[in-house]
Amino acid sequence: MFRRRPADSSDELLTRLGSLTARARELAETQRSRVELAVALQRGMLPPDLPSPPGVRLAVGYMPANHGLNVGGDWYDAFTLPDGHIGMSIGDVQGHNIEAAAFMGQVRVGLRALASVTGDPGELLARTNDLLVTLGADLFATCTFLRLDPAAGTLECARAGHIPHIWATADGRSGIDDGEGGPPLGVFSGVDYPVTRHRLTTGGVFVLLTDGVVEGPSLHLDDGLDQVVRLAGITAVAGLDVDALATAVMKLASTVGHEDDAAVLVVGHDGGSAWPVRGRGGTSAAPPPNAPPPNGLPPNSSPPDG
């Protein structure tokens, strides 16, 4: 007698494998579409052009996450305020998905809208923070907002949980801002954000960036900041263009080995006649009474050696 052979399971196995493969392809296509949408949302939220008042040069760099399926919420922005000052912001939203990119848009639009009500950086961050808290989102954002007076070269800055900016002068001094900041936006209501004041001298630069530029598996945050300080110092002393500095900083960002976005905003003085230029002795012209201290240093701080 012949025993009946069991049903061949190979066809069923192939059918299941085909179904799983099709499902995996569908999920991959869906995720890729979400990433493409998030990247498009990010880029659509970035300003198409930058203000260019006399004597001031702005340069930016931006690189979305390009490893895996992560998409962050980094942004930069620069625009003219109603009083003629220049408002600039840079920030980073917690998370790496389309929700982070959408929240980034809310923060950026909120900053722009409220800047028409108050240009004071500390008050602006406080109002934006309270607005985000009322939205009840589960996300938060770190941010630096800077207001520049193009006529005097004075800068006012407030930080919300963000990494400090970097400064350098044409006479060879450079460093990392040590001004006090406040907590990230969207976490606690009723928060105060201290304001630090600076002076952008002829040939000097300020560099605002996100942590994706200077921190990752291949680079510690302190080392990354030190490298940007060195690049800023070389740019200021050599009189290089701010676009070259932004490009150099973004090259650094490509070496940190992370899956995060990276953004940089550079502010420089090109020696125009918008405010007093350097004297023959290499020192800045005497500032008016009660003016912020020169050389990009925070109030009550001593200049570094060098």
Side-chain angles (χ1 to χ4, degrees), residues 105-153:
Q106 291 178 313
V107 177
R108 178 178 173 271
V109 170
L111 286 168
R112 278 217 178 198
L114 292 172
S116 64
V117 179
T118 174
D120 177 81
E123 184 179 354
L124 175 59
L125 290 187
R127 292 193 180 199
T128 303
N129 173 69
D130 290 342
L131 172 63
L132 295 175
V133 170
T134 62
L135 295 178
D138 294 329
L139 300 176
F140 62 85
T142 66
C143 173
T144 293
F145 188 87
L146 186 150
R147 181 174 67 170
L148 167 66
D149 180 354

Side-chain angles (χ1 to χ4, degrees), residues 68-120:
L69 299 176
N70 288 336
V71 176
D74 289 18
W75 84 88
Y76 65 83
D77 198 9
F79 53 94
T80 303
L81 296 167
D83 59 3
H85 290 53
I86 305 300
M88 289 166 277
S89 69
I90 195 165
D92 184 3
V93 173
Q94 167 240 355
H96 297 86
N97 49 37
I98 193 171
E99 287 77 16
F103 189 70
M104 175 268 288
Q106 291 178 313
V107 177
R108 178 178 173 271
V109 170
L111 286 168
R112 278 217 178 198
L114 292 172
S116 64
V117 179
T118 174
D120 177 81

Side-chain angles (χ1 to χ4, degrees), residues 10-25:
S10 60
D11 291 341
E12 181 181 356
L13 178 61
L14 290 175
T15 300
R16 289 185 179 181
L17 287 175
S19 177
L20 291 174
T21 301
R23 179 59 178 164
R25 288 178 178 173

